[in-house]
Amino acid sequence: MGIKSFLASRKKTKKDTPNTPIKVSDYMTTNLITFKSNQRIEQVIDAIIKHRISGAPVINEKNELIGVISEGDCIKQISESRYYNMPMDNATVEKHMVKDVETIDGNMNIFDAANKFLNSKRRRFPIVENGKLVGQISQKDILKAALKLKGQNWK
């Protein structure tokens, strides 16, 4: 006599398939606003306000990432120029950008990227491939990914 199972048949759950996009590169922004190191801070401020962004990558003529400039960097420049009574006319991106930029791998799992955001307290990470800036992932992109993946088994 064989062993009988008393378990009822289970509903099949929607599993992650190889086509389920869960990589950073599936959700990163590729149409980026970028700045050059010789641009004036006033131009950055205008772009930040116009495009409703909190900062952007700084690239050279070869599309290589050389820094990041944020609204905080601009505010610091405004404060210093007032404090030292110096006009902002000569203030350039190069003098005020962050040069030591942490990047993220486009092949990273979106949930690992979420943890990286939590641990780093950053708002965005540039994605670089072969030395060239190819995109950027933001906290908002992570939230969008989570909504799209909602209801699936997260592994």
Side-chain angles (χ1 to χ4, degrees):
M1 183 168 190
I3 299 175
K4 287 189 174 186
S5 172
F6 292 100
L7 292 175
S9 65
R10 297 181 184 183
K11 274 188 174 180
K12 290 186 180 179
T13 57
K14 188 176 180 181
K15 299 257 186 211
D16 285 340
T17 64
N19 297 346
T20 303
I22 58 168
K23 293 191 306 185
V24 165
S25 60
D26 296 320
Y27 295 99
M28 70 183 184
T29 302
T30 56
N31 186 15
L32 296 175
I33 293 162
T34 59
F35 297 107
K36 301 285 187 187
S37 63
N38 62 349
Q39 280 185 271
R40 292 185 3 258
I41 290 293
E42 288 177 354
Q43 293 173 307
V44 174
I45 294 169
D46 286 342
I48 283 173
I49 293 167
K50 178 182 176 187
H51 299 288
R52 296 179 178 180
I53 58 175
S54 60
V58 181
I59 56 171
N60 63 17
E61 62 284 343
K62 297 176 188 170
N63 199 42
E64 296 168 332
L65 180 68
I66 59 170
V68 168
I69 187 126
S70 70
E71 57 192 354
D73 298 323
C74 295
I75 289 170
K76 184 177 177 188
Q77 165 54 33
I78 291 167
S79 176
E80 288 176 357
S81 69
R82 176 136 190 233
Y83 182 79
Y84 295 111
N85 196 24
M86 297 182 67
M88 283 186 29
D89 296 345
N90 299 330
T92 60
V93 169
E94 184 172 30
K95 293 177 186 171
H96 301 284
M97 69 183 183
V98 173
K99 295 175 182 156
D100 185 22
V101 180
E102 191 175 355
T103 62
I104 200 168
D105 187 340
N107 292 316
M108 180 181 277
N109 178 297
I110 204 78
F111 301 106
D112 293 335
N115 280 329
K116 190 166 175 123
F117 273 106
L118 288 173
N119 295 329
S120 72
K121 307 283 192 244
R122 300 217 189 282
R123 296 173 83 172
R124 74 194 72 74
F125 284 107
I127 293 109
V128 175
E129 285 180 13
N130 302 320
K132 309 283 185 203
L133 179 68
V134 295
Q136 178 173 274
I137 189 95
S138 69
Q139 291 182 357
K140 195 171 291 181
D141 295 326
I142 299 291
L143 294 175
K144 288 176 186 175
L147 282 180
K148 283 184 182 178
L149 295 170
K150 187 178 141 193
Q152 297 184 16
N153 290 341
W154 293 352
K155 291 182 179 182

